[in-house]
Amino acid sequence: MIKTFYRLCLTSMVLLVCCLQASAQLHEFRNLQRSLQAITDSNRYVDALNRMAMLAHYRYRDTTLFYALKAKAIAERHNYEKGIADARNNEGIYYLSSNNYLSARYFNEALSIYQELGDKENETQLLMNLSVLLFTNKNQNEALKYIRQAYNLGKDLQHDSIQSIVITDMLAIDQKMDASDRDALFAKGKAIATKYRDTALLISFANNEGTQLYNAGKKKEGLELLLASVKDADQTGSEYMKVAAFMTLGEIMFDMGRDVDGISYYERALKISTDYGYPERYLQLAERLYSYYRAKHMPAMAYEYANLLLAKRAEINDAASKAGYNFLTYALREKQVADLESKDRFWNTVMILLLILFVVVMVVVFFAYRTFQIKRRNMRIQAKLHKASLARTQELEEVDRFNTMLISVIAHDIRQPFSTVLMTAEVFNESIDVLTDAEKVNIMGQLKETAQKSMMFMDGLLTWIKSKNSGFEYQPEELHVAEMLVEANAFFELEQCRKSLKLVTEVPLDLVVLAHRNMLLFVFRNILNNATKYAPEHSAIEVAIAFTDGHVCITFADHGPGMTAEQRAGLFRAMADQDAASDKKGAGLALSVSWEMMQKMQGKISVDAAPGGGTVFCVLLPYLHRL
């Protein structure tokens, strides 16, 4: 017996929780698109854009983000709060599959605005969205709490269409529900969906009902109902629901022993997920096929789908990193806001008390000049204590920012290398008899490169942490630049060989600088890593020097795509700018740490555009010897 539709295809509800009332019809989207030019009211225009963003989720997700960002920009210019909240909700829907950190942030921001506006219908929807998000992150208890809040809030709504979607999610999330209660909820939800002719929900209920019939022994009826739901999804343009139906049909085929048909359904679903941009479906399908071929002892096919999994996970992680946020930082920010509000209330109370005290002093001064003098002295003492308190508060804030940055670095840069090593090692272990020597060498090279880069990151990270401690003493060494370049570049020789890159250096062998060994290696490695990553194949990475006022400028030039002036201006600001701590996480952290290390070494790091295209980094350090 196969798993029920709720457990097998949980993320199909992501689509459902993101739709408030009507099903996504292509003609509605096109009608809205044609009517945009005729809309003169800014708020109505924003509403139309947000509705188009919601409808686009059923087919092309990139379109969802495009219209959401456009709606948000206009709504913010006109201070249209509901439009801002709707756009935030659409952004959360877009990132729900690829970056749950951003999704949580946008959902919470939208929820706060809806609560302030008293919009109970949209508040119900956001509680439901957060419940699904928590459930996909395997936090079932919290997910159940949120979906029950959504259900109870939705009971009092005049327009009850949202309850059908809430019921769908409750059936999926609350796995301990009695069979009779589940049947009653199912019937209620289907009745509401039928009442409002909600096509997407009706397709979902049909999928579920077909699975239940199959599990109850009515295999023919269940299969016919599922095939009919595929046809309905195809006619309404609901590609996401079609993928869900194909997954269920694939499982039924496997259960019936028709493995060829099961694989066919999964491969068709995989193609739709690729064409229409459903990364979470892509991962589910590739992982299911990988597990199938692994269980069937077909390592060559298992290896193929394992490679697809690794590539897609790397793509999703890279997108999350470039997005510039993580859930941990967002949670910490929320805590900081609460702390600041608490401090603000405290100081308001203090100011009121001081005002009362001042009035009392003004009355007493008429009776005793001596008392007045004592009071003035006490106030001076309080001012000193206040100044000391502010200094201590600033120090604690610096420590908190450092800890937040350290946690973010660990969360971003340590987990992924270990995940890659484990997956690659597993594939190698299980497929060793069928892999060619070249494939084995390639896999071992990938493992070595991942391990080397992890060690490189840890060395630099430990040095950076030590430099932040109050007891750290910077002790420069006399270092030969040419030797340091060779040691730093050792980590990237394999990738440079693969891309036919050539490292061309014009650094004299006797050039000696004053610097910290681990810090300088960290800086060189990060610059060489970026150059190796972005330089085109069959090109050169050129290292040269120039002398000025007792310093040497070591330049690293590549011929890659380069950066815009805006990108170069903000490249090293994640550590230097307080606000950037929340906006520049991810790929820029290593260079930001490098910038701080160069400050410790009485040097500088800068970036400029290379003549003819590409990027040039300059590392400026004091030098001792030269030709």
Side-chain angles (χ1 to χ4, degrees), residues 521-533:
L521 280 173
F522 185 92
V523 173
F524 280 179
R525 285 170 181 161
N526 278 292
I527 295 175
L528 288 169
N529 179 36
N530 286 336
T532 302
K533 180 178 180 180

mmCIF file with all atom_site columns, all heavy atoms in Angstrom, residues 521-533:
data_model
loop_
_atom_site.group_PDB
_atom_site.id
_atom_site.type_symbol
_atom_site.label_atom_id
_atom_site.label_alt_id
_atom_site.label_comp_id
_atom_site.label_asym_id
_atom_site.label_entity_id
_atom_site.label_seq_id
_atom_site.pdbx_PDB_ins_code
_atom_site.Cartn_x
_atom_site.Cartn_y
_atom_site.Cartn_z
_atom_site.occupancy
_atom_site.B_iso_or_equiv
_atom_site.pdbx_formal_charge
_atom_site.auth_seq_id
_atom_site.auth_comp_id
_atom_site.auth_asym_id
_atom_site.auth_atom_id
_atom_site.pdbx_PDB_model_num
ATOM 1   N N   . LEU A 1 521 ? 48.052 34.452 4.376   1.00 0.00 ? 521 LEU A N   1
ATOM 2   C CA  . LEU A 1 521 ? 47.614 33.290 3.589   1.00 0.00 ? 521 LEU A CA  1
ATOM 3   C C   . LEU A 1 521 ? 46.103 33.326 3.365   1.00 0.00 ? 521 LEU A C   1
ATOM 4   O O   . LEU A 1 521 ? 45.611 33.011 2.277   1.00 0.00 ? 521 LEU A O   1
ATOM 5   C CB  . LEU A 1 521 ? 48.015 31.998 4.307   1.00 0.00 ? 521 LEU A CB  1
ATOM 6   C CG  . LEU A 1 521 ? 49.477 31.546 4.137   1.00 0.00 ? 521 LEU A CG  1
ATOM 7   C CD1 . LEU A 1 521 ? 49.760 30.352 5.036   1.00 0.00 ? 521 LEU A CD1 1
ATOM 8   C CD2 . LEU A 1 521 ? 49.781 31.201 2.688   1.00 0.00 ? 521 LEU A CD2 1
ATOM 9   N N   . PHE A 1 522 ? 45.357 33.713 4.410   1.00 0.00 ? 522 PHE A N   1
ATOM 10  C CA  . PHE A 1 522 ? 43.900 33.784 4.293   1.00 0.00 ? 522 PHE A CA  1
ATOM 11  C C   . PHE A 1 522 ? 43.509 34.793 3.217   1.00 0.00 ? 522 PHE A C   1
ATOM 12  O O   . PHE A 1 522 ? 42.640 34.540 2.369   1.00 0.00 ? 522 PHE A O   1
ATOM 13  C CB  . PHE A 1 522 ? 43.295 34.173 5.646   1.00 0.00 ? 522 PHE A CB  1
ATOM 14  C CG  . PHE A 1 522 ? 41.802 34.166 5.666   1.00 0.00 ? 522 PHE A CG  1
ATOM 15  C CD1 . PHE A 1 522 ? 41.100 33.026 6.043   1.00 0.00 ? 522 PHE A CD1 1
ATOM 16  C CD2 . PHE A 1 522 ? 41.067 35.294 5.310   1.00 0.00 ? 522 PHE A CD2 1
ATOM 17  C CE1 . PHE A 1 522 ? 39.722 33.012 6.069   1.00 0.00 ? 522 PHE A CE1 1
ATOM 18  C CE2 . PHE A 1 522 ? 39.697 35.289 5.341   1.00 0.00 ? 522 PHE A CE2 1
ATOM 19  C CZ  . PHE A 1 522 ? 39.022 34.163 5.709   1.00 0.00 ? 522 PHE A CZ  1
ATOM 20  N N   . VAL A 1 523 ? 44.149 35.963 3.230   1.00 0.00 ? 523 VAL A N   1
ATOM 21  C CA  . VAL A 1 523 ? 43.840 37.012 2.247   1.00 0.00 ? 523 VAL A CA  1
ATOM 22  C C   . VAL A 1 523 ? 44.188 36.537 0.831   1.00 0.00 ? 523 VAL A C   1
ATOM 23  O O   . VAL A 1 523 ? 43.378 36.646 -0.104  1.00 0.00 ? 523 VAL A O   1
ATOM 24  C CB  . VAL A 1 523 ? 44.598 38.306 2.591   1.00 0.00 ? 523 VAL A CB  1
ATOM 25  C CG1 . VAL A 1 523 ? 44.411 39.346 1.486   1.00 0.00 ? 523 VAL A CG1 1
ATOM 26  C CG2 . VAL A 1 523 ? 44.129 38.860 3.928   1.00 0.00 ? 523 VAL A CG2 1
ATOM 27  N N   . PHE A 1 524 ? 45.440 35.980 0.653   1.00 0.00 ? 524 PHE A N   1
ATOM 28  C CA  . PHE A 1 524 ? 45.843 35.506 -0.678  1.00 0.00 ? 524 PHE A CA  1
ATOM 29  C C   . PHE A 1 524 ? 44.896 34.421 -1.188  1.00 0.00 ? 524 PHE A C   1
ATOM 30  O O   . PHE A 1 524 ? 44.517 34.400 -2.366  1.00 0.00 ? 524 PHE A O   1
ATOM 31  C CB  . PHE A 1 524 ? 47.264 34.962 -0.599  1.00 0.00 ? 524 PHE A CB  1
ATOM 32  C CG  . PHE A 1 524 ? 48.332 36.027 -0.633  1.00 0.00 ? 524 PHE A CG  1
ATOM 33  C CD1 . PHE A 1 524 ? 49.679 35.702 -0.548  1.00 0.00 ? 524 PHE A CD1 1
ATOM 34  C CD2 . PHE A 1 524 ? 47.997 37.375 -0.756  1.00 0.00 ? 524 PHE A CD2 1
ATOM 35  C CE1 . PHE A 1 524 ? 50.649 36.685 -0.580  1.00 0.00 ? 524 PHE A CE1 1
ATOM 36  C CE2 . PHE A 1 524 ? 48.964 38.360 -0.771  1.00 0.00 ? 524 PHE A CE2 1
ATOM 37  C CZ  . PHE A 1 524 ? 50.307 38.012 -0.687  1.00 0.00 ? 524 PHE A CZ  1
ATOM 38  N N   . ARG A 1 525 ? 44.531 33.479 -0.308  1.00 0.00 ? 525 ARG A N   1
ATOM 39  C CA  . ARG A 1 525 ? 43.677 32.357 -0.742  1.00 0.00 ? 525 ARG A CA  1
ATOM 40  C C   . ARG A 1 525 ? 42.310 32.850 -1.205  1.00 0.00 ? 525 ARG A C   1
ATOM 41  O O   . ARG A 1 525 ? 41.767 32.363 -2.196  1.00 0.00 ? 525 ARG A O   1
ATOM 42  C CB  . ARG A 1 525 ? 43.511 31.358 0.408   1.00 0.00 ? 525 ARG A CB  1
ATOM 43  C CG  . ARG A 1 525 ? 44.748 30.495 0.640   1.00 0.00 ? 525 ARG A CG  1
ATOM 44  C CD  . ARG A 1 525 ? 44.628 29.716 1.932   1.00 0.00 ? 525 ARG A CD  1
ATOM 45  N NE  . ARG A 1 525 ? 45.814 28.894 2.187   1.00 0.00 ? 525 ARG A NE  1
ATOM 46  C CZ  . ARG A 1 525 ? 46.136 28.399 3.367   1.00 0.00 ? 525 ARG A CZ  1
ATOM 47  N NH1 . ARG A 1 525 ? 45.367 28.650 4.415   1.00 0.00 ? 525 ARG A NH1 1
ATOM 48  N NH2 . ARG A 1 525 ? 47.212 27.667 3.527   1.00 0.00 ? 525 ARG A NH2 1
ATOM 49  N N   . ASN A 1 526 ? 41.738 33.799 -0.490  1.00 0.00 ? 526 ASN A N   1
ATOM 50  C CA  . ASN A 1 526 ? 40.418 34.278 -0.884  1.00 0.00 ? 526 ASN A CA  1
ATOM 51  C C   . ASN A 1 526 ? 40.460 35.010 -2.214  1.00 0.00 ? 526 ASN A C   1
ATOM 52  O O   . ASN A 1 526 ? 39.558 34.872 -3.048  1.00 0.00 ? 526 ASN A O   1
ATOM 53  C CB  . ASN A 1 526 ? 39.853 35.192 0.207   1.00 0.00 ? 526 ASN A CB  1
ATOM 54  C CG  . ASN A 1 526 ? 39.228 34.407 1.336   1.00 0.00 ? 526 ASN A CG  1
ATOM 55  O OD1 . ASN A 1 526 ? 38.200 33.768 1.146   1.00 0.00 ? 526 ASN A OD1 1
ATOM 56  N ND2 . ASN A 1 526 ? 39.852 34.403 2.488   1.00 0.00 ? 526 ASN A ND2 1
ATOM 57  N N   . ILE A 1 527 ? 41.536 35.805 -2.440  1.00 0.00 ? 527 ILE A N   1
ATOM 58  C CA  . ILE A 1 527 ? 41.645 36.501 -3.724  1.00 0.00 ? 527 ILE A CA  1
ATOM 59  C C   . ILE A 1 527 ? 41.870 35.500 -4.855  1.00 0.00 ? 527 ILE A C   1
ATOM 60  O O   . ILE A 1 527 ? 41.245 35.573 -5.918  1.00 0.00 ? 527 ILE A O   1
ATOM 61  C CB  . ILE A 1 527 ? 42.793 37.529 -3.668  1.00 0.00 ? 527 ILE A CB  1
ATOM 62  C CG1 . ILE A 1 527 ? 42.467 38.633 -2.642  1.00 0.00 ? 527 ILE A CG1 1
ATOM 63  C CG2 . ILE A 1 527 ? 43.027 38.141 -5.040  1.00 0.00 ? 527 ILE A CG2 1
ATOM 64  C CD1 . ILE A 1 527 ? 43.574 39.621 -2.437  1.00 0.00 ? 527 ILE A CD1 1
ATOM 65  N N   . LEU A 1 528 ? 42.775 34.505 -4.631  1.00 0.00 ? 528 LEU A N   1
ATOM 66  C CA  . LEU A 1 528 ? 43.040 33.493 -5.657  1.00 0.00 ? 528 LEU A CA  1
ATOM 67  C C   . LEU A 1 528 ? 41.816 32.607 -5.900  1.00 0.00 ? 528 LEU A C   1
ATOM 68  O O   . LEU A 1 528 ? 41.568 32.157 -7.018  1.00 0.00 ? 528 LEU A O   1
ATOM 69  C CB  . LEU A 1 528 ? 44.240 32.637 -5.243  1.00 0.00 ? 528 LEU A CB  1
ATOM 70  C CG  . LEU A 1 528 ? 45.603 33.351 -5.331  1.00 0.00 ? 528 LEU A CG  1
ATOM 71  C CD1 . LEU A 1 528 ? 46.689 32.536 -4.646  1.00 0.00 ? 528 LEU A CD1 1
ATOM 72  C CD2 . LEU A 1 528 ? 45.982 33.621 -6.783  1.00 0.00 ? 528 LEU A CD2 1
ATOM 73  N N   . ASN A 1 529 ? 41.054 32.352 -4.841  1.00 0.00 ? 529 ASN A N   1
ATOM 74  C CA  . ASN A 1 529 ? 39.827 31.562 -4.985  1.00 0.00 ? 529 ASN A CA  1
ATOM 75  C C   . ASN A 1 529 ? 38.835 32.279 -5.904  1.00 0.00 ? 529 ASN A C   1
ATOM 76  O O   . ASN A 1 529 ? 38.262 31.691 -6.821  1.00 0.00 ? 529 ASN A O   1
ATOM 77  C CB  . ASN A 1 529 ? 39.201 31.339 -3.605  1.00 0.00 ? 529 ASN A CB  1
ATOM 78  C CG  . ASN A 1 529 ? 37.921 30.538 -3.698  1.00 0.00 ? 529 ASN A CG  1
ATOM 79  O OD1 . ASN A 1 529 ? 37.787 29.628 -4.513  1.00 0.00 ? 529 ASN A OD1 1
ATOM 80  N ND2 . ASN A 1 529 ? 36.947 30.879 -2.896  1.00 0.00 ? 529 ASN A ND2 1
ATOM 81  N N   . ASN A 1 530 ? 38.628 33.600 -5.680  1.00 0.00 ? 530 ASN A N   1
ATOM 82  C CA  . ASN A 1 530 ? 37.719 34.369 -6.527  1.00 0.00 ? 530 ASN A CA  1
ATOM 83  C C   . ASN A 1 530 ? 38.231 34.431 -7.969  1.00 0.00 ? 530 ASN A C   1
ATOM 84  O O   . ASN A 1 530 ? 37.466 34.303 -8.924  1.00 0.00 ? 530 ASN A O   1
ATOM 85  C CB  . ASN A 1 530 ? 37.564 35.789 -5.970  1.00 0.00 ? 530 ASN A CB  1
ATOM 86  C CG  . ASN A 1 530 ? 36.707 35.813 -4.721  1.00 0.00 ? 530 ASN A CG  1
ATOM 87  O OD1 . ASN A 1 530 ? 35.907 34.915 -4.522  1.00 0.00 ? 530 ASN A OD1 1
ATOM 88  N ND2 . ASN A 1 530 ? 36.890 36.801 -3.886  1.00 0.00 ? 530 ASN A ND2 1
ATOM 89  N N   . ALA A 1 531 ? 39.562 34.642 -8.118  1.00 0.00 ? 531 ALA A N   1
ATOM 90  C CA  . ALA A 1 531 ? 40.127 34.727 -9.466  1.00 0.00 ? 531 ALA A CA  1
ATOM 91  C C   . ALA A 1 531 ? 39.953 33.410 -10.213 1.00 0.00 ? 531 ALA A C   1
ATOM 92  O O   . ALA A 1 531 ? 39.589 33.382 -11.391 1.00 0.00 ? 531 ALA A O   1
ATOM 93  C CB  . ALA A 1 531 ? 41.605 35.110 -9.376  1.00 0.00 ? 531 ALA A CB  1
ATOM 94  N N   . THR A 1 532 ? 40.220 32.279 -9.526  1.00 0.00 ? 532 THR A N   1
ATOM 95  C CA  . THR A 1 532 ? 40.079 30.960 -10.150 1.00 0.00 ? 532 THR A CA  1
ATOM 96  C C   . THR A 1 532 ? 38.630 30.679 -10.516 1.00 0.00 ? 532 THR A C   1
ATOM 97  O O   . THR A 1 532 ? 38.331 30.101 -11.562 1.00 0.00 ? 532 THR A O   1
ATOM 98  C CB  . THR A 1 532 ? 40.599 29.875 -9.194  1.00 0.00 ? 532 THR A CB  1
ATOM 99  O OG1 . THR A 1 532 ? 41.971 30.149 -8.857  1.00 0.00 ? 532 THR A OG1 1
ATOM 100 C CG2 . THR A 1 532 ? 40.504 28.499 -9.831  1.00 0.00 ? 532 THR A CG2 1
ATOM 101 N N   . LYS A 1 533 ? 37.713 31.115 -9.662  1.00 0.00 ? 533 LYS A N   1
ATOM 102 C CA  . LYS A 1 533 ? 36.293 30.843 -9.873  1.00 0.00 ? 533 LYS A CA  1
ATOM 103 C C   . LYS A 1 533 ? 35.738 31.613 -11.069 1.00 0.00 ? 533 LYS A C   1
ATOM 104 O O   . LYS A 1 533 ? 34.971 31.078 -11.863 1.00 0.00 ? 533 LYS A O   1
ATOM 105 C CB  . LYS A 1 533 ? 35.512 31.211 -8.602  1.00 0.00 ? 533 LYS A CB  1
ATOM 106 C CG  . LYS A 1 533 ? 34.019 30.971 -8.687  1.00 0.00 ? 533 LYS A CG  1
ATOM 107 C CD  . LYS A 1 533 ? 33.355 31.312 -7.373  1.00 0.00 ? 533 LYS A CD  1
ATOM 108 C CE  . LYS A 1 533 ? 31.854 31.084 -7.435  1.00 0.00 ? 533 LYS A CE  1
ATOM 109 N NZ  . LYS A 1 533 ? 31.210 31.431 -6.147  1.00 0.00 ? 533 LYS A NZ  1
#
